[in-house]
Amino acid sequence: MSITVYVPCDSSAVSLGANRVADAIAQEAQKRGIEINVVRNGSRGMYWLEPMVEVATDKGRVAYGAVKTSDVASLFDADFLNGGVHALNLGLTEEIPYLKKQQRLTFARVGITDPVSVEDYVAHDGYRGLKNALSYSQADIVKHVTDSGLRGRGGAAFPTGIKWNTVLNTPSEQKYIICNADEGDSGTFSDRMIMEGDPLVLIEGMTIAGIAVGATQGYIYLRIEYPHALEILNAAIANAYAANYLGENIQGSSKTFHLEVRQGAGAYVCGEETALMESLEGKRGLVRFKPPLPAISGLFGKPTVVNNVISLASVPVILDKGGEFYRDFGMGRSRGTLPLQLAGNLKHAGLVELAFGATLREVLYDFGGGSATGKPIRAVQVGGPLGSYLPESQFDTPLDYEAFAAIWAVLGHGGIVAFDETVDLAQMAKYSMEFCVEESCGKCTPCRIGSTRGYEVMDEIVAKRDLDKNIPLLRSLCDTMLNGSLCAMGGMTPYPVLSALNHFPEDFQGR
Amino acid sequence: MSKTIVIDGKVIPFEDGQTIIQAATAAGVYIPHLCHNPKFTPHGSCKLCTVKVNGRNCSACTFPAAKGQTITNITKELNDDREKITQMLFVEGNHFCPSCEKTGNCNLQAVAYHLGMTDNHFPHFFENREVDASHPDVMIDHNRCIFCTLCVRASQQEDGKNVFAISGRGIEKRLVVNSPSGLLKDSDLDVNDCAAHICPTGAILIKRTGYKVPIGQRIFDHAHIDTVALAAEGASHDE
Ligand SMILES: NC(=O)c1ccc[n+]([C@@H]2O[C@H](COP(=O)([O-])OP(=O)(O)OC[C@H]3O[C@@H](n4cnc5c(N)ncnc54)[C@H](O)[C@@H]3O)[C@@H](O)[C@H]2O)c1
Ligand SMILES: Cc1cc2nc3c(=O)[nH]c(=O)nc-3n(C[C@H](O)[C@H](O)[C@H](O)COP(=O)(O)O)c2cc1C
Ligand code: SF4
Ligand code: SF4
Ligand code: FES
Ligand code: FES
């Protein structure tokens, strides 16, 4: 019987050498005449341990990491194929505290299965949600999603069930499901990890969405910077078609759902749902005004569900175990779990899926292990480049949409980027304005001109020139952007800028 | 008259499908605007028409009127933002009103007066922009373009042509002419086209008509933009 060895195909692991390690293991096994079966799995999300190699043993999977090609021979010598002792031995994967302390619902299978194998997916509880959905009425599917309390994980936290209900109740011959896989936020990678590590959960979620609202065509709008995800998604889609989980008469149900991947062109603003649809229609990625909401008049003017990858990938577990099951996790109006992405100056960067309610401090220290440099963490940006900077005094805020809104911050897509005391928040504020200049679609006045002027004013402020004049000017610009912008690009850029200014005024003062 | 909205305390009737600005205009209520023109589909880009609908900022030119809306329009807060937006438009282009043929007939200038704008507030861009005087009858001075897209929409929706377009992203955006050379002379623009006359600023001008109406006798020399706009855009009230 051959032993199964897992080496992640996740692009972060690959960038750390996972492909070379996989090759080296295969060669070494051949050299020693040992028969092994190498499976390229998703990443478990403990990036400081990548490439993390796992071996299936009687007691469960044993992990080794971070493995370099030069470690491979010694791993064989230590009999790692039977979980042997080695300096890189991390013990049973499931017992690693970072993983064990998580509540993985959406990420339940990531790192465990062969991402593109339908058999493996089904063997690990896959397609149970769809099976239930096929036995429910459309309204009941939507009701489960509504009952679950799931809110848009793309960042705006709009209730997914209400959105689906609008599409369900808008009559139309043609409707669409769009998965927003533009994942533009810096420091975020949960969408990518799902698409590379368990693409079938996304495919299942989209299929359920299609059946729920009566849409027969789905598109995954994937950012161009994710070539690995593209390959894996396409392979998984082909396998799902072959197994009759996509296409016509799905599993003999007479339901139809087609799915294809479309690539973006590298613009952050094309992650905004209306610009995304313009782009899908082959036009320039300009923001449309809302209403009309995409749920009523979206792609090609048809009712369209636009949901983030994580929102859609959370649907199968909800339909499998029921809305109440999912709802039992979380706090307040934030139900279920949020896959957090720890990045920046942290010892243990990676993916942490937790029920809402843990505090930022717990995440930063219990999981993140504090700063990588060992210096105190001074500021944390939560929710991507349009999110606020939080000072240490706010680290006890629970991860909850409303608690964050109350301190003028956002949870967004769950990106958490930490900075130690060497950070200059004035520089960061300047960068936020620069980002907006670069990424503005240019349609509306406040965003287009406000950011350009804002960048220049920040340049003056960083140089400590005319602060008495420039700081009020910066606030006035931010006001106009907040109040007048067409979309959250211009409308939220003031979040990082003003939070930096308000919480870290010392960085904005003269020398 | 059963369906109504309230703007600044005034009860205003609306019909289904009307935007807030349409309902307001019909009732004789002026909402400052630049990229809106009732003849064309809305664009919602200048953001001057921002009003507060039940506490939330919305563009009046795109937002549908609906029962139960309580709207504020002329407030210090909103007009301050409008003034800053107008100032932004002024500093982005090169608007030297005293030497501009459009002065006194210009909506941008008139809105600025209406809002009580007395300076530019923000530093000027002093962008180097071109003038296209290649066409026998019409010229474009890009220095004065505010990207309202009215010429783009007028050409498509009224003239049945496609003379103008916007290209470029963010602050790099520019009005372009759809012709092989990019010049107006090689487009099918005719001096009688709606697109040649729709520009709210002095960016598109008709040649050989300059100063026909002397300064002092121009539209906004005698009237405020609110009354002019309401008269032109179809106020149905009689006061
Ligand atoms: N994930 C990323 O990479 C990324 C990048 C930038 C910004 N963001 C996030 O995007 C957010 C802003 O997104 P937005 O402008 O789309 O927010 P939004 O509040 O306008 O909309 C949120 C979603 O709810 C839908 N919706 C709203 N009201 C509805 C109704 N009554 N019925 C049905 N559907 C309705 C919208 O169509 C949209 O899909 C920000 O909060 C930011 O955190 C995410
Ligand atoms: C500038 C900008 C960029 C955005 N980028 C993304 C993105 O990359 N991914 C995403 O899911 N949502 C993004 N959004 C939010 C989408 O507009 C939209 O709210 C989301 O896709 C809806 O899905 P959800 O309800 O499942 O979150 C962005 C919004 C803005 C304003
Ligand atoms: S277009 Fe109007 S605002 Fe611009 S310079 Fe001419 S008169 Fe002044
Ligand atoms: S040329 Fe005039 S009408 Fe055309 S976009 Fe510019 S300002 Fe608007
Ligand atoms: S320019 Fe796109 S939101 Fe303002
Ligand atoms: S008039 Fe409404 S955005 Fe320009």
Side-chain angles (χ1 to χ4, degrees):
Chain A
M1 209 193 78
S2 78
I3 294 167
T4 304
V5 178
Y6 297 86
V7 186
C9 63
D10 175 280
S11 49
S12 290
V14 168
S15 71
L16 292 163
N19 284 350
R20 272 172 278 134
V21 168
D23 288 347
I25 290 174
Q27 278 164 22
E28 190 69 26
Q30 203 178 18
K31 207 165 86 188
R32 297 181 187 223
I34 307 170
E35 207 180 308
I36 61 165
N37 170 29
V38 177
V39 171
R40 303 303 302 269
N41 59 341
S43 170
R44 301 277 191 156
M46 296 176 285
Y47 281 120
W48 74 100
L49 296 175
E50 293 289 0
M52 190 177 94
V53 174
E54 291 176 74
V55 182
T57 72
D58 298 342
K59 298 189 201 70
R61 286 198 201 169
V62 177
Y64 296 84
V67 177
K68 296 190 291 295
T69 45
S70 54
D71 298 321
V72 168
S74 71
L75 281 171
F76 275 88
D77 291 342
D79 194 22
F80 86 118
L81 291 176
N82 288 303
V85 180
H86 187 279
L88 298 181
N89 187 321
L90 301 163
L92 291 172
T93 313
E94 302 294 337
E95 296 299 320
I96 298 174
Y98 196 86
L99 208 52
K100 197 176 181 182
K101 286 188 291 182
Q102 300 189 27
Q103 284 118 351
R104 288 202 165 189
L105 303 182
T106 308
F107 275 72
R109 259 175 310 265
V110 175
I112 294 176
T113 51
D114 174 352
V116 299
S117 159
V118 174
E119 300 79 67
D120 217 9
Y121 183 68
V122 171
H124 289 86
D125 299 343
Y127 278 123
R128 288 165 54 137
L130 178 68
K131 189 160 173 257
N132 287 342
L134 287 173
S135 71
Y136 297 157
S137 70
Q138 290 178 303
D140 280 343
I141 304 176
V142 174
K143 188 170 182 305
H144 271 287
V145 176
T146 308
D147 288 348
S148 74
L150 177 66
R151 291 162 71 182
R153 300 288 188 246
F158 187 82
T160 306
I162 297 180
K163 190 189 291 187
W164 287 22
N165 204 40
T166 309
V167 178
L168 171 63
N169 293 324
T170 306
S172 175
E173 283 290 297
Q174 179 73 60
K175 299 178 185 180
Y176 296 103
I177 309 293
I178 296 177
C179 169
N180 188 343
D182 202 49
E183 195 159 51
D185 279 3
S186 38
T188 68
F189 43 82
S190 61
D191 295 352
R192 179 183 61 71
M193 283 186 68
I194 284 286
M195 293 186 287
E196 294 177 350
D198 192 15
L200 286 159
V201 78
L202 173 61
I203 295 168
E204 182 182 353
M206 290 185 74
T207 311
I208 295 171
I211 290 165
V213 304
T216 52
Q217 176 68 50
Y219 295 102
I220 298 173
Y221 186 87
L222 180 69
R223 68 182 310 198
I224 190 105
E225 294 88 345
Y226 282 174
H228 289 83
L230 175 69
E231 229 172 272
I232 297 171
L233 277 172
N234 277 334
I237 289 172
N239 292 346
Y241 267 105
N244 189 225
Y245 280 106
L246 280 175
E248 267 140 47
N249 195 20
I250 292 172
Q251 302 298 306
S253 66
S254 80
K255 303 281 185 194
T256 299
F257 190 69
H258 292 285
L259 183 56
E260 64 184 88
V261 183
R262 292 287 178 87
Q263 280 186 291
Y268 181 76
V269 78
C270 283
E272 195 284 335
E273 57 181 3
T274 63
L276 185 159
M277 292 186 297
E278 289 282 300
S279 169
L280 266 183
E281 291 177 10
K283 303 189 201 131
R284 282 152 36 82
L286 286 185
V287 175
R288 297 178 189 168
F289 51 80
K290 293 191 282 194
L293 288 163
I296 291 173
S297 173
L299 188 64
F300 300 111
K302 305 294 179 202
T304 304
V305 169
V306 184
N307 271 135
N308 173 254
V309 173
I310 302 299
S311 312
L312 289 162
S314 301
V315 166
V317 68
I318 291 168
L319 267 293
D320 175 13
K321 305 199 169 161
E324 297 76 40
F325 167 83
Y326 191 81
R327 193 183 187 89
D328 277 347
F329 295 83
M331 70 172 277
R333 290 179 50 224
S334 306
R335 310 312 312 178
T337 58
L338 182 64
L340 301 159
Q341 300 125 84
L342 274 50
N345 196 334
L346 287 176
K347 206 172 280 164
H348 296 156
L351 186 113
V352 177
E353 182 176 349
L354 283 182
F356 288 94
T359 67
L360 186 57
R361 194 183 300 278
E362 283 162 8
V363 173
L364 291 172
Y365 291 94
D366 297 357
F367 288 91
S371 76
T373 50
K375 293 180 176 152
I377 299 176
R378 178 161 181 247
V380 179
Q381 188 177 30
V382 183
L386 305 178
S388 289
Y389 286 97
L390 279 68
E392 208 269 341
S393 61
Q394 294 183 331
F395 287 180
D396 292 314
T397 312
L399 297 165
D400 162 60
Y401 293 119
E402 279 65 41
F404 267 63
I407 57 166
W408 210 65
V410 293
L411 268 183
H413 184 50
I416 295 182
V417 181
F419 299 85
D420 75 6
E421 60 191 15
T422 59
V423 67
D424 176 351
L425 270 301
Q427 288 286 1
M428 300 314 289
K430 177 178 155 188
Y431 171 72
S432 296
M433 282 293 188
E434 188 180 9
F435 184 76
C436 189
V437 175
E438 287 298 315
E439 300 297 343
S440 165
C441 79
K443 184 165 174 176
C444 75
T445 314
C447 170
R448 176 181 83 243
I449 307 177
S451 61
T452 305
R453 272 293 158 262
Y455 172 69
E456 286 160 4
V457 170
M458 275 313 310
D459 206 35
E460 293 279 298
I461 291 174
V462 165
K464 316 286 182 204
R465 276 195 292 267
D466 270 344
L467 294 177
D468 293 346
K469 184 184 113 228
N470 282 320
I471 288 184
L473 193 58
L474 179 70
R475 287 193 185 277
S476 140
L477 274 164
C478 283
D479 258 7
T480 310
M481 290 174 76
L482 269 172
N483 297 337
S485 294
L486 178 61
C487 81
M489 181 74 237
M492 286 180 66
T493 292
Y495 276 69
V497 175
L498 291 180
S499 60
L501 177 59
N502 292 337
H503 297 311
F504 304 92
E506 60 277 20
D507 289 8
F508 291 75
Q509 270 151 24
R511 278 186 266 267
Chain B
M1 265 269 237
S2 63
K3 291 181 181 172
T4 57
I5 53 177
V6 177
I7 303 184
D8 289 341
K10 185 173 170 182
V11 178
I12 285 170
F14 74 92
E15 285 157 29
D16 282 332
Q18 268 186 328
T19 57
I20 290 173
I21 210 167
Q22 284 170 333
T25 308
V29 170
Y30 173 70
I31 299 176
H33 58 274
L34 279 170
C35 70
H36 163 76
N37 182 311
K39 284 211 276 220
F40 309 112
T41 54
H43 190 241
S45 58
C46 76
K47 305 298 283 180
L48 211 69
C49 67
T50 303
V51 292
K52 251 192 191 359
V53 182
N54 299 335
R56 232 183 82 209
N57 283 3
C58 301
S59 301
C61 71
T62 66
F63 209 81
K67 259 187 178 166
Q69 286 174 342
T70 302
I71 297 161
T72 54
N73 172 31
I74 304 300
T75 63
K76 180 168 181 340
E77 187 194 342
L78 287 168
N79 271 354
D80 281 353
D81 279 327
R82 289 176 183 139
E83 184 183 346
K84 282 193 277 177
I85 288 171
T86 311
Q87 287 163 325
M88 285 181 178
L89 290 171
F90 265 90
V91 302
E92 186 188 35
N94 296 307
H95 299 271
F96 307 110
C97 298
S99 64
C100 176
E101 204 291 312
K102 192 88 170 200
T103 185
N105 287 330
C106 171
N107 285 2
L108 179 64
Q109 188 188 52
V111 154
Y113 276 130
H114 181 75
L115 294 169
M117 181 183 134
T118 53
D119 66 4
N120 284 329
H121 188 56
F122 304 113
H124 258 283
F125 281 61
F126 292 127
E127 191 73 44
N128 228 333
R129 298 212 199 146
E130 310 212 315
V131 176
D132 177 352
S134 64
H135 192 281
D137 303 314
V138 184
M139 62 171 279
I140 309 180
D141 185 342
H142 288 279
N143 290 293
R144 300 172 190 148
C145 177
I146 58 168
F147 313 116
C148 68
T149 74
L150 278 170
C151 56
V152 178
R153 285 177 280 163
S155 184
Q156 290 168 351
Q157 296 170 23
E158 180 85 10
D159 304 333
K161 301 182 182 178
N162 191 18
V163 174
F164 298 103
I166 300 280
S167 95
R169 226 159 53 95
I171 202 71
E172 307 291 327
K173 82 191 275 193
R174 290 293 171 264
L175 179 73
V176 294
V177 173
N178 288 323
S179 74
S181 61
L183 291 174
L184 207 51
K185 73 173 163 67
D186 297 320
S187 75
D188 53 356
L189 182 77
D190 184 88
V191 67
N192 295 315
D193 284 353
C194 178
H197 299 268
I198 197 80
C199 184
T201 77
I204 300 183
L205 294 172
I206 309 298
K207 289 184 177 175
R208 293 178 299 279
T209 60
Y211 297 98
K212 267 201 179 147
V213 180
I215 290 171
Q217 295 174 27
R218 297 182 164 201
I219 302 169
F220 301 112
D221 292 339
H222 302 284
H224 256 266
I225 191 164
D226 49 354
T227 39
V228 173
L230 288 172
E233 292 168 5
S236 58
H237 73 133
D238 28 47
E239 277 177 9

